[in-house]
Amino acid sequence: PVDGAASPGIVGQFGQMLESVAAANDQAAELGTRIATGELTDIHQFTAAAAKAELGTQLTVAFRDRAVEAFQTIMAMQV
């Protein structure tokens, strides 16, 4: 961009995805602590939060793997 600011593109979207996954992991960790201390009695809340965090982590790893694969393919091209 002309003003020097980074344009919101794939990098910005990936950053938002990472923040979302980190927040889901933090929430699952907090609910796990609350279950362990007895503050939270509904284990379903923890189970749902843990599943959401796990899925987000798996999707992030899959995205990273595909990005690395694409980078390696581009680097292997001969000019």
Side-chain angles (χ1 to χ4, degrees), residues 51-76:
K52 181 179 178 181
E54 181 180 5
L55 180 60
T57 300
Q58 289 174 352
L59 289 173
T60 302
V61 169
F63 184 86
R64 182 215 51 202
D65 290 347
R66 293 292 297 208
V68 168
E69 181 183 332
F71 174 78
Q72 290 173 341
T73 300
I74 291 169
M75 295 308 291

Side-chain angles (χ1 to χ4, degrees), residues 26-59:
D26 290 344
Q27 181 182 16
E30 187 213 335
L31 289 176
T33 301
R34 290 179 59 199
I35 284 284
T37 60
E39 292 177 37
L40 183 66
T41 57
D42 186 8
I43 194 155
H44 299 294
Q45 288 180 347
F46 168 70
T47 304
K52 181 179 178 181
E54 181 180 5
L55 180 60
T57 300
Q58 289 174 352
L59 289 173

